[in-house]
Amino acid sequence: MQQGATFKTLAEKFAADKTALPSDFVSPTEADEAATSVIEKLHKSGVYQFGVRINKAGDYPAKLRDAKHPVELLYYQGTWELSEMRGLAVVGSRKPSGEGAKRAGRLARELVARGFSVVSGLAAGIDKAAHTAALEAGGRTIAVIGTPLGENYPKENVDLQAHIAKEHLLVSQVPVLRYAVQPFQHKRYYFPERNATMSALTEGTIIVEAGETSGTLTQARAALYQGRKLFILESCFNNPAITWPARFEKEGAIRVRDPEDIWQALRPE
Amino acid sequence: MSFTEVDDLIRVDHNALEAGDNCLFLREYKANAGYEGETNSLIWNLKKKPSERTTKGGWHHKGRAINQVSRELAGALNPEWLDHATLVPIPGSKAVDHPDYDDRMEQICRGIRPNLDVRGLVKQTSSTEASHAAGDGNRASVEELLANYQLDETLTDPAPSGIGIFDDVLTVGRHFRAMHTILSQRFPGVPITGIFIARTIHPNPFEDIDLPDWT
């Protein structure tokens, strides 16, 4: 990704030229050099096995095109087929209440029991609780991360990321070379971008717990825009400190009093 | 869906291929992953054996898979190239008189669109074990494949001006290499492109490694 480009400007570029491929915008030499540098960089970070999915090539998930600024290229490690399973995202605060983390775990187990993959963002808090519970329940989990492959945030999830990359599915849209030269404060913008991709990859997003300014709300907006189901746990509605649950409910979000509310709203098998 | 070209980065995964070989593929087939996933399931359905038509379920999936692949190829191939190209399906591992004789690649080519120049220019003289069913040590070498291939001289007129060799899965690339050798000898200078539905990827490169005979 070139200096100054954003996922939005790139999406606009590709929308204007229906047949374009990422390498069409630079010379073949530049494209080759970039590919070689990416591979070198990933090898240095210990990533020897990875795959790419490019829009218009085979195995690119058509569902990603529902995003407002769909990604043209993404990297992955692990079992790509998990992206073809039915899946729901379980997301929320990085600093949840004890009860919130438990709820995330219960939901993840419920999803596993129904044969759904548990998709989350590998952040601290709710994300970690959801991934971990899915693994403990013997289910499948997908992490859509806000760093390039081979990089971790937060550090506490290093082992979890390595395990998901090996045995499950780790997805990153973050440009490897651009990321390497960006100042730290700019790198955090990849997290909300990946929320939109995570939403597009799934049939719906379940918000367990989130503050008024949480990045999770990016995913809520993306889910509604993309025509995905947005589920909000009843406990969020009872929190006097936040106004977003009622706002999103008016826009079509589904209030979850009981897990059955989720299954009722999804299309049958 | 567009083709991906087998470039230098990918060619190392298919070690029978040579530097100048021009090969294209649509999807990625994962080794040792059974029929899990869209592409693997598609390929498994394509490879269903004719002899198991009545003994195993799901035969109808084969016809559906053939149609799907024809459609995907039709959407990806340059129509102007199709106007003049000769489409050569790689012969199946079983000769015509075998109960498992399978002309799926020919059916796929003919399904791309009407009035194409589809020619089974290369025939297999005797049946062999299918590559995907043979153990790694038992896979035929390019030379062995060549010894078993025969050019059908009754089909060589008119001489092709461009050739597409069609196969379902690119693994090591030996069948393509053998086909390329026999066709380029008979039609020197005619451009040849390998067109594959999928290439094989190995999730763990140290498992199921395809070791040469001398190891």
Side-chain angles (χ1 to χ4, degrees):
Chain A
M1 195 186 259
Q2 289 172 327
Q3 184 85 29
T6 64
F7 286 101
K8 180 170 185 283
T9 61
L10 285 182
E12 286 163 357
K13 237 177 157 136
F14 284 98
D17 184 348
K18 298 286 179 205
T19 62
L21 292 168
S23 51
D24 290 347
F25 295 101
V26 292
S27 71
T29 322
E30 280 175 286
D32 276 348
E33 281 169 4
T36 308
S37 306
V38 167
I39 290 166
E40 279 170 9
K41 177 96 194 133
L42 288 175
H43 283 187
K44 271 188 200 149
S45 329
V47 178
Y48 294 98
Q49 275 292 300
F50 68 96
V52 292
R53 290 290 173 247
I54 297 174
N55 182 30
K56 299 174 190 108
D59 299 303
Y60 175 94
K63 52 193 170 185
L64 290 185
R65 304 317 290 173
D66 293 335
K68 194 173 194 176
H69 308 304
V71 293
E72 294 296 315
L73 181 151
L74 56 81
Y75 299 91
Y76 76 93
Q77 285 179 281
T79 306
W80 178 253
E81 299 78 70
L82 300 191
S83 71
E84 296 164 2
M85 286 174 71
R86 298 190 77 181
L88 285 171
V90 178
V91 293
S93 169
R94 287 164 203 262
K95 290 180 183 154
S97 64
E99 193 48 44
K102 279 185 201 157
R103 286 193 184 104
R106 279 201 295 273
L107 271 170
R109 286 189 290 275
E110 169 88 15
L111 264 53
V112 170
R114 298 269 181 158
F116 276 63
S117 66
V118 175
V119 186
S120 197
L122 208 69
I126 297 295
D127 291 15
K128 183 184 186 180
H131 288 301
T132 309
L135 293 172
E136 284 169 0
R140 313 310 304 264
T141 192
I142 302 174
V144 185
I145 58 173
T147 61
L149 298 184
E151 308 247 357
N152 309 272
Y153 186 84
K155 290 292 169 212
E156 66 170 85
N157 289 344
V158 169
D159 294 342
L160 184 57
Q161 179 165 327
H163 179 73
I164 291 175
K166 190 161 179 280
E167 306 289 341
H168 294 262
L169 178 61
L170 186 74
V171 173
S172 171
Q173 71 189 75
V174 180
V176 173
L177 302 180
R178 170 88 174 277
Y179 186 90
V181 297
Q182 274 178 307
F184 183 75
Q185 63 271 28
H186 290 181
K187 293 181 179 176
R188 64 196 173 105
Y189 293 115
Y190 291 115
F191 289 90
E193 306 274 10
R194 70 89 150 80
N195 282 104
T197 300
M198 195 198 309
S199 166
L201 210 51
T202 56
E203 289 183 34
T205 290
I206 310 171
I207 301 183
V208 178
E209 203 172 274
E212 198 69 354
T213 56
S214 169
T216 302
L217 303 186
T218 307
Q219 187 152 339
R221 281 186 291 274
L224 291 174
Y225 176 87
Q226 297 163 359
R228 303 295 191 263
K229 302 287 183 205
L230 176 62
F231 301 101
I232 301 171
L233 296 198
E234 175 72 1
S235 50
C236 298
F237 289 91
N238 298 330
N239 180 346
I242 52 176
T243 60
W244 61 262
R247 200 167 71 239
F248 282 119
E249 191 181 29
K250 265 189 214 138
E251 292 175 37
I254 296 154
R255 185 190 285 245
V256 180
R257 296 183 177 86
D258 182 277
E260 202 47 46
D261 297 329
I262 297 172
W263 309 115
Q264 289 287 332
L266 294 175
R267 66 179 164 83
E269 195 69 49
Chain B
M1 195 184 292
S2 304
F3 285 112
T4 304
E5 189 183 332
V6 177
D7 62 8
D8 295 344
L9 291 173
I10 294 177
R11 198 173 290 114
V12 293
D13 296 339
H14 310 286
N15 56 37
L17 294 184
E18 294 178 3
D21 286 344
N22 183 19
C23 292
L24 308 170
F25 65 92
L26 288 172
R27 293 163 167 274
E28 287 182 338
Y29 175 83
K30 195 157 148 189
N32 305 327
Y35 49 82
E36 189 188 3
E38 197 185 302
T39 297
N40 276 36
S41 148
L42 179 71
I43 299 296
W44 274 59
N45 283 329
L46 274 183
K47 287 186 185 289
K48 281 186 195 290
K49 287 184 182 176
S51 65
E52 292 170 355
R53 185 178 187 142
T54 52
T55 56
K56 283 193 180 175
W59 178 258
H60 60 285
H61 292 306
K62 182 166 180 129
R64 204 171 39 83
I66 288 173
N67 290 337
Q68 180 183 340
V69 167
S70 291
R71 274 198 310 276
E72 288 181 0
L73 288 171
L77 286 165
N78 177 353
E80 286 180 35
W81 178 81
L82 283 172
D83 287 342
H84 74 83
T86 302
L87 282 56
V88 183
I90 283 199
S93 56
K94 305 295 183 234
V96 185
D97 57 354
H98 192 282
D100 271 330
Y101 168 71
D102 188 343
D103 65 348
R104 61 177 181 267
M105 288 317 303
E106 181 163 347
Q107 290 184 49
I108 287 168
C109 289
R110 293 200 186 281
I112 293 171
R113 77 171 200 216
N115 305 320
L116 288 175
D117 178 15
V118 180
R119 283 192 246 173
L121 276 169
V122 178
K123 304 270 187 271
Q124 182 149 326
T125 51
S126 64
S127 298
T128 56
E129 195 169 0
S131 265
H132 60 272
D136 287 335
N138 296 326
R139 292 187 173 189
S141 68
V142 174
E143 291 71 26
E144 284 164 344
L145 288 168
L146 273 172
N148 201 14
Y149 277 171
Q150 194 172 46
L151 202 91
D152 187 342
E153 283 295 337
T154 65
L155 297 176
T156 53
D157 188 38
S161 60
I163 294 174
I165 296 174
F166 284 73
D167 201 358
D168 42 20
V169 181
L170 170 65
T171 302
V172 182
R174 292 188 193 113
H175 290 84
F176 170 79
R177 238 344 28 251
M179 291 286 287
H180 190 285
T181 305
I182 192 168
L183 289 167
S184 58
Q185 275 168 4
R186 182 64 179 75
F187 306 108
V190 175
I192 297 179
T193 308
I195 294 160
F196 299 86
I197 300 157
R199 78 176 189 108
T200 299
I201 54 165
H202 290 265
N204 180 345
F206 301 109
E207 279 171 17
D208 188 38
I209 197 163
D210 197 56
L211 293 168
D213 295 332
W214 42 264
T215 53

